[in-house]
């Protein structure tokens, strides 16, 4: 609507060209042109998501959408005309300015998007976690701090006494890391979902409000230095109040926040080939070990919550260790091993071993541990079984196929020799399903990536076909000249989609009328030569006249797998790409004309040679022999004449 209003204003300015005041006209034209440019930028700001800028006043580029309506030449307003002879020179200048403006703004069917630059008021201290190098390093530091919290903090809460030692200093340094991280969260951009997709919020006030509403309370509670306050004030009651120190374990919930924003896993996955099933199994193993560790610390904490005069779960272990002069309760690592042992056989549903709960509190805690362990074990076991079944899904399908094959042969009463051949074929054909899997994988790629991958996969045999080799040379030449070759690469992707997979058993014969074959596995006899992996035959499959095609009889020396392309499929690709890539059809057409002409001449020459041989053989015969070969009897007098 804004652009339509501006165009109407331009038309009004043009009508004012008949007024004598030329300066007013030029001022109005310049004002309209400037306002039109400003509106284009404003529309770009409203329609395009803000990019990731790093500082105040940074120049950011936006592509404005087409905003002007098409204007036909017949609808073009007339140029400025002078009203008096004295105004001819000035009016000519106005004519030139307005004519130039009209050509730039109105003589096009669609105004293409133009890049506009403008300043975005983004504060320099706002951190983008994706593009800021410091933020990425800081995430690694916070991850190490969270690992320390996951391993050491439960031990401090459950078993260790608070005292001035190296572990306390390390804990204080970890707290300092989380304090700095809490401050940085007030200036770190966060992703938000809008109608245009996912965008980064860069306004400090919005960032602060979002952090206060989400993670601030949890971070603040976990940073209360209860241990330091207890040591400085010598408050034994505060040091022994472990139910308050359990709040520190809530820092583990911050792992969820970091997993949502961190790109560290992507940075590891991109350059490396990761077996995801093995990684998933290893991850569940770590989860199992870590869950047992946390439950063991909780189980060990019951020793601190119950007075020693009451029976406890460790009493039986102390009785067994006391003859050796060992007091298990006073050695933290012995308590931890016993507690971890109890939690391991509880989680794995093995049952209780040589000790169990002895008082009410321990029974309550043990009940909770059994429930948590049961749910965790069921989830881990289900996920592991799903991963293992997925890893062996292909083998399971093959075993099912072989079972159906054996049942079929038994029901039909086939001979033993034929059954052996069938089993041999299916055993060797086991990996043919990989071709279908690759095709499905390629269909999920973007068009350009699909074209590049298909070119890399099929380049070896493309170079062996004459017209494909000429087409690839043309594409390479165009790339060196700076021509956009994506439509040409897409032709290779389309041809790759049309390739079909086939297999032939040993000693099987097949022909190739209007079919191009590419050998991918095994050995094949092609007339008088032997083809191995990568062999191509049937290059003349593009000829429409089958009499001009040179047949090549294939004989499978071993089990072979081939990729084949039919003429109908290839011609469909040429027809589909005749607008975006007409050169492929032209190259194929020239090849067909050349091959058909050569082979037509050769065929005609052979035909005439056979005719001449027949004529010579007939002239060398006697008249009696020549006429005796007729189908009807001739009179004796005619034969003598």
């Amino acid at each position: 609507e804004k652009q339509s209003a501006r165009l109407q204003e331009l038309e009004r300015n043009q009508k004012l060209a008949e007024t004598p005041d030329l300066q007013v006209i030029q001022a109005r034209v310049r004002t309209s042109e400037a306002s039109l440019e400003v509106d284009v930028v404003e529309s770009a700001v409203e329609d395009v998501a803000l990019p990731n800028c790093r500082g105040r006043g940074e120049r950011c580029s936006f592509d404005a959408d087409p905003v002007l309506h098409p204007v036909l030449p017949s609808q073009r307003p007339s140029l400025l005309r002078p009203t008096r002879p004295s105004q001819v020179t000035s009016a000519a200048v106005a004519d030139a300015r307005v004519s130039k403006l009209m050509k730039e703004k109105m003589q096009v069917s669609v105004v293409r998007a133009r890049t506009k630059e403008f300043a975005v008021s983004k504060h320099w201290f706002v951190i983008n976690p994706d593009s800021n190098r410091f933020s990425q390093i800081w995430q690694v530091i916070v991850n190490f701090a969270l690992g320390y919290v996951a391993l050491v903090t439960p031990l401090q809460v459950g078993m260790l006494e608070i005292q001035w030692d190296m572990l306390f200093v390390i804990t204080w340094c970890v707290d300092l890391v989380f304090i700095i991280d809490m401050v940085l969260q007030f200036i770190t951009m966060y992703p938000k979902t809008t109608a245009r997709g996912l965008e980064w919020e860069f306004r400090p006030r919005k960032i602060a409000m979002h952090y206060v509403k989400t993670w601030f309370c949890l971070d603040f509670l976990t940073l209360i230095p209860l241990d330091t306050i207890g040591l400085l004030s010598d408050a034994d009651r505060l040091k022994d109040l472990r139910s308050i120190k359990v709040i520190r374990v809530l820092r583990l919930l911050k792992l969820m926040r970091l997993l949502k924003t961190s790109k560290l896993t992507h940075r590891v996955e991109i350059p490396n080939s990761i077996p995801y099933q093995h990684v998933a199994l290893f991850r569940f193993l770590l989860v199992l070990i870590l869950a047992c560790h946390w439950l063991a610390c909780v189980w060990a904490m019951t020793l601190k919550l119950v007075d020693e005069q009451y029976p406890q779960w460790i009493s039986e272990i102390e009785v067994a260790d006391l003859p050796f002069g060992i007091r298990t309760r006073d050695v933290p690592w012995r308590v931890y091993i016993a507690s971890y042992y109890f939690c391991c056989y509880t989680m794995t549903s093995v049952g209780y071993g040589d000790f169990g709960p002895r008082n009410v509190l321990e029974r309550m805690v043990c009940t909770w541990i059994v429930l948590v362990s049961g749910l965790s074990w069921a989830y881990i076991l289900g996920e592991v079984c799903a991963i293992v079944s997925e890893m062996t899904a292909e083998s399971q399908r093959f075993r099912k196929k072989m079972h159906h094959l054996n049942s079929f042969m038994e029901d039909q009463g086939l001979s033993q020799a034929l059954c052996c051949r069938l089993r041999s074929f299916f055993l060797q054909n086991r990996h043919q399903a990989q071709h279908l899997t690759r095709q499905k994988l390629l269909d999920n790629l973007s068009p350009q990536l699909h074209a590049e991958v298909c070119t890399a996969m099929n380049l070896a045999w493309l170079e062996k076909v004459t017209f494909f080799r000429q087409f690839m040379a043309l594409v390479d030449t165009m790339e060196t000249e700076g021509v956009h070759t994506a439509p040409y690469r897409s032709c290779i992707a389309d041809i790759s989609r049309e390739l079909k997979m086939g297999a032939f058993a040993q000693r099987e014969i097949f022909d190739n009328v209007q079919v191009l074959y590419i050998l991918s596995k095994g050995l094949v006899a092609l007339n008088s030569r032997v083809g191995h992996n990568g062999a191509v035959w049937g290059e003349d499959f593009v000829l429409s006249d089958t009499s001009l095609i040179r047949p090549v009889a294939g004989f499978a020396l071993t089990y072979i797998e081939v990729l084949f392309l039919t003429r109908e499929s290839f011609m469909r690709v040429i027809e589909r790409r005749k607008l975006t890539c007409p050169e492929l059809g032209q190259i194929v057409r020239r090849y067909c004309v050349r091959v058909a002409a050569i082979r037509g001449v050769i065929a005609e020459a052979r035909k005439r040679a056979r005719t001449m041989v027949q004529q010579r053989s007939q002239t060398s015969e006697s008249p009696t022999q020549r006429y005796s070969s007729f189908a009807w009897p001739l009179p004796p007098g005619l034969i003598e004449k």
Side-chain angles (χ1 to χ4, degrees), residues 453-483:
V453 173
C454 291
T455 302
M457 292 174 54
N458 303 311
L459 185 61
W461 68 266
L462 286 173
E463 295 291 339
K464 298 180 181 180
V465 181
T466 304
F467 48 86
F468 284 144
R469 182 170 61 251
Q470 295 174 359
F471 179 70
M472 296 303 299
L474 174 64
V475 173
D476 294 338
T477 303
M478 295 176 68
E479 282 186 349
T480 56
E481 296 176 355
V483 180

Side-chain angles (χ1 to χ4, degrees), residues 83-109:
T83 56
R84 293 192 299 269
S86 59
Q87 296 177 343
V88 172
T89 304
S90 300
V93 176
D95 280 344
R97 289 185 58 84
V98 176
S99 177
K100 181 180 179 181
L101 181 62
M102 293 300 105
K103 289 180 180 179
E104 293 179 355
K105 304 299 181 183
M106 303 177 65
Q107 289 184 358
V108 292
S109 59

Side-chain angles (χ1 to χ4, degrees), residues 36 182 253 332 361 475 569 595 617 639:
L36 183 61
M182 185 178 68
L253 296 177
L361 179 63
V475 173
S569 302
V595 173
S617 62
I639 294 177

